[in-house]
């Protein structure tokens, strides 16, 4: 998909604050409200804009203990992979899951209240998934950069 400079600027503005009115976006882009509306609809319809979300402050909901957990499966059969991915997708504590290359098969990002909650998650949820051979957990000390905006 080719984007002109206006599309790129529009996407930048929407990623910064998707609740801006079309009028405010039109003013920032030097376009009419109708032109902005049509561009946004085009970007939604072609799948460039997938959805709109609210980013919740982790501390305000007592979920600021972040763990990155590497997971190795006992085997790499299609059945094991499919079952693991289906089961891990059901876990509310898992914000992100990536099938990766290297020494481990998956990397998950877990968000919980504290160390005790993470232990509970590991013992009662994650390790109950069949075919996990080993895990390696790393705890976040400080968030240096976190963005959802993609540079276009």
């Amino acid at each position: 998909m080719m984007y002109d400079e206006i599309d790129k600027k529009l996407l930048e503005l929407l990623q910064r604050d998707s609740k801006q009115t079309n009028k405010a976006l039109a003013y920032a882009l030097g376009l009419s409200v109708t032109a902005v509306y049509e561009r946004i609809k085009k970007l939604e319809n072609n799948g460039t804009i997938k959805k709109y979300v609210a980013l919740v402050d982790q501390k305000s909901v007592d979920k600021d203990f972040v763990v990155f957990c590497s997971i190795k499966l006992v085997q790499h059969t299609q059945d094991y992979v499919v079952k693991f991915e289906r089961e891990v997708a059901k876990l509310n504590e898992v914000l992100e899951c990536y099938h990766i290359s290297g020494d481990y098969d998956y990397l998950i990002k877990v968000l919980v209240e504290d160390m005790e909650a993470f232990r509970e998650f590991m013992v009662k949820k994650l390790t109950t998934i069949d075919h996990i051979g080993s895990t390696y957990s790393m705890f976040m000390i400080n968030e240096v950069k976190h963005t959802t905006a993609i540079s276009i």
Side-chain angles (χ1 to χ4, degrees), residues 40-78:
I40 290 172
K41 281 296 164 204
K42 177 188 78 170
L43 293 166
E44 291 170 345
N45 291 336
N46 72 21
T48 300
I49 297 175
K50 295 183 353 181
K51 63 182 173 180
Y52 299 90
V53 300
L55 300 176
V56 176
D57 178 67
Q58 296 166 204
K59 285 184 179 186
S60 68
V61 293
D62 294 325
K63 298 282 176 101
D64 60 339
F65 191 77
V66 180
V67 184
F68 296 94
C69 189
S70 300
I71 299 167
K72 190 180 294 188
L73 300 180
V74 292
Q75 290 183 359
H76 300 98
T77 65
Q78 182 178 1

Side-chain angles (χ1 to χ4, degrees), residues 35-147:
V36 167
Y37 174 82
E38 289 173 357
R39 282 179 180 266
I40 290 172
K41 281 296 164 204
K42 177 188 78 170
L43 293 166
E44 291 170 345
N45 291 336
N46 72 21
T48 300
I49 297 175
K50 295 183 353 181
K51 63 182 173 180
Y52 299 90
V53 300
L55 300 176
V56 176
D57 178 67
Q58 296 166 204
K59 285 184 179 186
S60 68
V61 293
D62 294 325
K63 298 282 176 101
D64 60 339
F65 191 77
V66 180
V67 184
F68 296 94
C69 189
S70 300
I71 299 167
K72 190 180 294 188
L73 300 180
V74 292
Q75 290 183 359
H76 300 98
T77 65
Q78 182 178 1
D79 288 344
Y80 286 14
V81 167
V82 169
K83 183 170 195 279
F84 173 80
E85 290 178 2
R86 184 176 52 240
E87 293 302 313
V88 81
K90 295 176 188 175
L91 301 174
N92 291 330
E93 297 86 350
V94 176
L95 270 61
E96 301 172 41
C97 177
Y98 302 98
H99 195 175
I100 58 173
S101 64
D103 292 337
Y104 287 87
D105 301 311
Y106 290 91
L107 176 65
I108 62 173
K109 181 179 179 181
V110 178
L111 192 61
V112 291
E113 186 177 315
D114 54 22
M115 179 63 82
E116 185 178 327
F118 178 67
R119 183 184 186 288
E120 185 87 1
F121 165 77
M122 288 294 288
V123 171
K124 294 190 175 176
K125 293 186 178 183
L126 188 63
T127 58
T128 64
I129 298 175
D130 290 338
H131 318 305
I132 292 179
S134 64
T135 63
Y136 178 81
S137 300
M138 298 167 285
F139 308 98
M140 181 186 75
I141 295 169
N142 183 41
E143 185 175 271
V144 177
K145 179 180 180 181
H146 179 171
T147 184

Side-chain angles (χ1 to χ4, degrees), residues 12-42:
E12 178 185 315
L13 292 168
L14 286 170
Q15 287 184 95
R16 196 176 313 140
D17 179 6
S18 66
K19 286 191 73 169
Q20 294 180 73
T21 64
N22 286 352
K23 184 176 180 179
L25 292 166
Y27 179 76
L29 296 168
L31 298 174
S32 70
V33 173
T34 302
V36 167
Y37 174 82
E38 289 173 357
R39 282 179 180 266
I40 290 172
K41 281 296 164 204
K42 177 188 78 170

